Amino acid sequence: MEKSKAPIFTLRIVAIIVGVALYKQFDFDSMRFKHTALAIVYMAVFAFSVYVLIKNRKKKTDG
């Protein structure tokens, strides 16, 4: 039975959206985020989605 590809697709979309939001929040002149608390939440979600995507890719290539 084949697993559903919907969660992986959703995590890719989430990673792209949150990554762009993090990039827009960063102020390159002062090297700080505009809203620090929101940036922490964005980083946590981005890291989780990238972790799951990498873990899934390794599992797919292993067997």
Side-chain angles (χ1 to χ4, degrees):
M1 189 170 174
E2 187 175 325
K3 289 185 178 181
S4 175
K5 294 183 181 182
I8 300 304
F9 177 74
T10 304
L11 283 175
R12 285 181 183 168
I13 299 299
V14 167
I16 291 169
I17 292 172
V18 174
V20 169
L22 267 172
Y23 180 77
K24 287 183 178 181
Q25 286 279 324
F26 192 71
D27 184 16
F28 288 98
D29 294 333
S30 65
M31 301 298 282
R32 292 179 178 246
F33 287 101
K34 294 176 185 174
H35 304 284
T36 308
L38 188 60
I40 292 171
V41 173
Y42 283 167
M43 279 190 252
V45 171
F46 183 74
F48 174 75
S49 62
V50 169
Y51 170 75
V52 171
L53 288 171
I54 291 172
K55 184 178 175 185
N56 184 45
R57 174 147 328 230
K58 285 184 180 180
K59 188 185 302 182
K60 185 177 177 182
T61 59
D62 286 344

